[in-house]
Amino acid sequence: MFMSGLHVRRCAWVMLPLALLYTGAAVAHPGHMPHSHAGSFVAGLMHPLTGLDHLLAMAAIGLWSFRQAGALRRAMPLLIALGMLAGASLAWMGIPLMGVEFGIASSVLLAGVLLASLVRLPSALGGMLVFAFILLHGHAHGSELAPGASALLYAMGFVATSVAITLGGRVLGEWLARRDNRWLRGIGAAIAAAGGALMMG
């Protein structure tokens, strides 16, 4: 079943804000931000959009989350926020995590597989898995805090964007599922393939 022209236009409107943010990230990369309070916050907002691995993982988790039990769906924003903050805090305390980049690529692959399979997990297992994924992403964000930047404002920024991407993915997932689950499976397979490529690259 293919999308009608109307459905394609609706999907385009849903994705347009994210596309604009992603395009803007090229101009507003955190490394080029002034170290003012405003710069710290905006750098945090933009940082999850400057890496394809971060963007794909958050989107896949959001798309997958709408099919999960109510407890896990409701807890998802809190899990994202806590995982990000915990990972960033470890980085700021100088506590390394082994294989962070490989782990992040693996999280993209596994999140894509979860989406492609449309699997429903027990809330406790799903929550622990999501937290582990996000912990790695949070560590990577935290390790890229610019010298002189406000850690608090930077964290507020990247947490806000990460939660927004996840919730946006959930809304899009619900919309697509009402039409044809094959779209979700196809997106999941594409994200899993991207994760595999990231792991090899």
Side-chain angles (χ1 to χ4, degrees):
M1 180 185 298
F2 291 95
M3 283 187 170
S4 68
L6 178 60
H7 290 162
V8 170
R9 287 193 295 273
R10 286 178 177 171
C11 190
W13 278 112
V14 170
M15 297 303 293
L16 180 60
L18 185 59
L20 290 174
L21 283 172
Y22 187 74
T23 302
V27 178
H29 189 279
H32 302 294
M33 282 288 175
H35 302 326
S36 65
H37 291 322
S40 300
F41 180 68
V42 174
L45 283 175
M46 299 308 299
H47 199 274
L49 302 171
T50 61
L52 187 62
D53 47 1
H54 300 305
L55 186 60
L56 289 178
M58 299 299 117
I61 289 171
L63 287 162
W64 169 79
S65 69
F66 89 94
R67 288 180 52 86
Q68 304 310 301
L72 182 55
R73 285 200 310 273
R74 289 189 295 272
M76 194 62 67
L78 182 60
L79 285 171
I80 298 295
L82 290 178
M84 282 288 178
L85 292 174
S89 296
L90 291 175
W92 294 334
M93 290 186 291
I95 301 174
L97 294 178
M98 297 299 294
V100 170
E101 292 302 323
F102 184 80
I104 288 173
S106 299
S107 75
V108 176
L109 171 63
L110 292 174
V113 169
L114 290 174
L115 176 58
S117 63
L118 300 181
V119 65
R120 297 188 68 178
L121 296 178
S123 293
L125 176 60
M128 288 189 295
L129 194 60
V130 168
F131 184 84
F133 288 171
I134 301 306
L135 183 75
L136 296 170
H137 289 266
H139 194 280
H141 289 324
S143 66
E144 296 181 10
L145 175 67
S150 166
L152 176 60
L153 291 175
Y154 178 65
M156 288 172 59
F158 67 68
V159 167
T161 297
S162 299
V163 171
I165 293 170
T166 307
L167 292 178
R170 181 192 298 177
V171 171
L172 180 59
E174 292 172 349
W175 186 82
L176 290 172
R178 287 197 296 269
R179 284 144 183 86
D180 193 335
N181 279 335
R182 286 179 293 182
W183 286 101
L184 288 174
R185 292 186 184 276
I187 293 170
I191 291 175
L198 290 169
M199 290 173 69
M200 293 186 295

